[in-house]
């Protein structure tokens, strides 16, 4: 028997003044059985009926709906939502399961899978579909959220947008990121990654590698590794857009070209947190909540969503 989904919305609106048009933001809540997810609905102030809306999915780690975590505050996704509202596009951004306001007391990390995040994104889409104010529905996933968005996109979605998304499986990415480790640790980590790729957990983990490969996170990594973003994006039957900044030190432009060889949009000067920098070594924008996001990014996304 299918599980019954229960949805309800809590609205607490605040009006924000902008240089062009005002917009409103409302706190929203999605309930699925015992899981409560919290997010923000951003609406153009003078929007008419059948507003286009985009679901914004944040990146990896404890990154919240605004693009922030305990180590950095840059408001990247918050500013993206606001900027899209100025173009007449509504959005929902949310704290993923176990993150931010959607944190879960006594969460058993070993039971969390990549597919849980995909299911949650699909449930948000169901939530949106029930609201008669909205017309076309798009998903825009940032970083890890790109793959989540690909997998969540279906016949209920009109368009998909990948922003700074990986263009190869996570096991390959991890190996590249760990090449600078001392030789012994690199060898050990590669053995672990290969085991996880084959669906097998590893019991004895070097303490120096435990933050990345601790036993409780291995099931999540196994569930993530099985997906190849190139294969998944090629399964889509809807229009999609791939965007990548050339100043990104976490995801290079080759990833975008893997995902979309002929039409990837490479934005000059944009880094991983969607800000403008003149050097890849400039990481100050990662913790600068006042710095605006790249203007071209907003134009490219809004033009794609609004195009018939």
């Amino acid at each position: 028997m299918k599980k019954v989904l229960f949805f309800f919305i809590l609205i607490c609106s605040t009006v924000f003044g902008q240089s062009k048009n005002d917009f409103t933001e409302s706190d929203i809540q999605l309930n699925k059985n015992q899981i409560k997810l919290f997010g923000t609905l951003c609406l153009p102030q003078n929007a008419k009926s059948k507003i286009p809306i985009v679901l914004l999915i944040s990146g990896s780690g404890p990154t919240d709906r605004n693009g922030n975590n305990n180590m950095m505050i840059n408001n990247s996704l918050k500013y993206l939502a606001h900027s899209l509202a100025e173009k007449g596009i509504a959005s929902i951004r949310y704290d993923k399961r176990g993150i931010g306001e959607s944190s879960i007391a006594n969460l058993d990390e070993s039971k969390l899978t990549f597919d849980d995040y995909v299911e949650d994104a699909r449930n948000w889409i169901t939530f949106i579909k029930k609201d008669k104010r909205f017309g076309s529905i798009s998903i825009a996933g940032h970083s890890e959220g790109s793959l989540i968005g690909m997998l969540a996109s279906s016949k209920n979605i009109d368009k998909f947008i990948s922003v700074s998304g990986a263009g190869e499986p996570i096991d390959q990415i991890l190996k590249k990121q760990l090449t600078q480790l001392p030789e012994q640790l690199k060898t050990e980590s590669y053995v672990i990654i290969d085991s996880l790729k084959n669906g097998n957990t590893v019991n004895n983990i070097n303490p120096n590698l435990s933050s990345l490969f601790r036993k409780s996170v291995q099931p999540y990594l196994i569930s993530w590794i099985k997906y190849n973003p190139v294969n998944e994006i090629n399964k889509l039957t809807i229009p999609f857009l791939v965007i990548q900044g050339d100043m990104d030190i976490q995801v290079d432009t080759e990833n975008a070209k893997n995902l979309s060889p002929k039409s990837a949009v490479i934005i000059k000067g944009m880094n991983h947190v969607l800000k403008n920098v003149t050097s890849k070594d400039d990481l100050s924008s990662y913790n600068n909540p006042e710095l605006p996001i790249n203007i071209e990014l907003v134009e490219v996304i809004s033009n794609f969503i609004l195009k018939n």
Side-chain angles (χ1 to χ4, degrees):
M1 183 175 67
K2 292 184 178 179
K3 294 181 179 179
V4 179
L5 302 182
F6 297 96
F7 303 97
F8 70 93
I9 182 169
L10 301 178
I11 300 181
C12 180
S13 298
T14 307
V15 178
F16 296 79
Q18 294 290 295
S19 58
K20 297 178 182 179
N21 300 310
D22 290 342
F23 59 86
T24 62
E25 290 206 319
S26 305
D27 294 331
I28 56 177
Q29 181 175 326
L30 170 67
N31 281 0
K32 173 187 174 292
N33 296 334
Q34 301 300 314
I35 303 297
K36 295 181 180 180
L37 302 178
F38 296 83
T40 301
L41 171 65
C42 186
L43 287 172
Q45 177 72 2
N46 299 314
K48 299 179 181 179
S49 61
K50 297 302 178 182
I51 316 162
I53 186 169
V54 57
L55 180 70
L56 302 176
I57 306 176
S58 61
S60 60
T63 305
D64 67 15
R65 74 188 83 172
N66 293 325
N68 305 327
N69 58 47
N70 291 335
M71 300 296 293
M72 64 181 187
I73 301 176
N74 54 68
N75 287 333
S76 55
L77 297 183
K78 177 180 179 180
Y79 290 158
L80 177 57
H82 294 177
S83 298
L84 291 175
E86 295 294 346
K87 300 290 186 179
I89 300 168
S91 64
I92 285 178
R93 61 190 193 274
Y94 64 99
D95 294 335
K96 295 201 297 290
R97 185 185 301 205
I99 296 170
E101 197 177 355
S102 301
S103 60
I104 301 171
N106 302 316
L107 174 67
D108 185 348
E109 185 180 58
S110 66
K111 294 182 179 180
L112 181 66
T113 70
F114 196 83
D115 297 308
D116 289 331
Y117 286 151
V118 176
E119 179 186 2
D120 291 341
R122 287 174 176 156
N123 288 334
W124 277 112
I125 295 302
T126 300
F127 177 91
I128 293 171
K129 292 285 287 187
K130 293 183 177 182
D131 195 321
K132 302 304 181 183
R133 290 174 295 176
F134 303 123
S136 68
I137 303 175
S138 302
I139 288 180
H142 176 250
S143 191
E144 180 190 50
S146 169
L147 180 55
I148 294 171
M150 286 179 208
L151 296 168
S153 294
S154 66
K155 61 183 179 180
N156 291 324
I157 300 298
D158 295 289
K159 298 179 180 181
F160 169 70
I161 303 157
S162 171
V163 182
S164 306
E168 55 188 349
I170 187 60
D171 58 301
Q172 295 180 24
I173 293 173
L174 286 172
K175 285 185 175 181
K176 288 179 180 179
Q177 292 178 343
L178 298 173
T179 54
Q180 301 303 315
L181 286 177
E183 194 62 32
Q184 180 61 32
L185 285 179
K186 184 176 74 171
T187 299
E188 290 182 36
S189 65
Y190 280 23
V191 170
I192 295 170
I193 292 169
D194 289 340
S195 179
L196 297 176
K197 185 176 179 61
N198 290 324
N200 302 314
T201 58
V202 179
N203 291 321
N204 298 319
I205 302 296
N206 188 313
N208 293 313
L209 298 173
S210 62
S211 62
L212 181 58
F213 298 116
R214 60 190 178 278
K215 189 67 180 294
S216 60
V217 82
Q218 289 182 35
Y220 181 83
L221 292 173
I222 289 173
S223 69
W224 187 0
I225 286 174
K226 69 182 180 181
Y227 292 114
N228 184 330
V230 173
N231 293 341
E232 299 307 322
I233 202 167
N234 285 329
K235 292 177 184 178
L236 296 181
T237 58
I238 57 174
F240 63 84
L241 172 68
V242 174
I243 305 173
Q244 180 63 52
D246 70 349
M247 289 292 177
D248 194 327
I249 61 172
Q250 293 168 253
V251 181
D252 61 33
T253 56
E254 289 304 310
N255 282 269
K257 294 173 182 177
N258 287 343
L259 292 174
S260 184
K262 296 181 179 179
S263 59
V265 177
I266 308 300
I267 298 180
K268 294 184 180 297
M270 188 177 79
N271 68 3
H272 194 69
V273 292
L274 316 181
K275 306 295 182 77
N276 295 312
V277 292
T278 57
S279 169
K280 289 186 177 181
D281 295 328
D282 181 5
L283 302 181
S284 61
S285 62
Y286 277 67
N287 206 27
N288 185 348
E290 304 303 322
L291 191 66
I293 62 170
N294 182 279
I295 296 176
E296 184 181 353
L297 172 71
V298 177
E299 293 294 330
V300 170
I301 292 177
S302 58
N303 289 340
F304 177 72
I305 290 175
L306 296 173
K307 182 180 180 181
N308 293 326

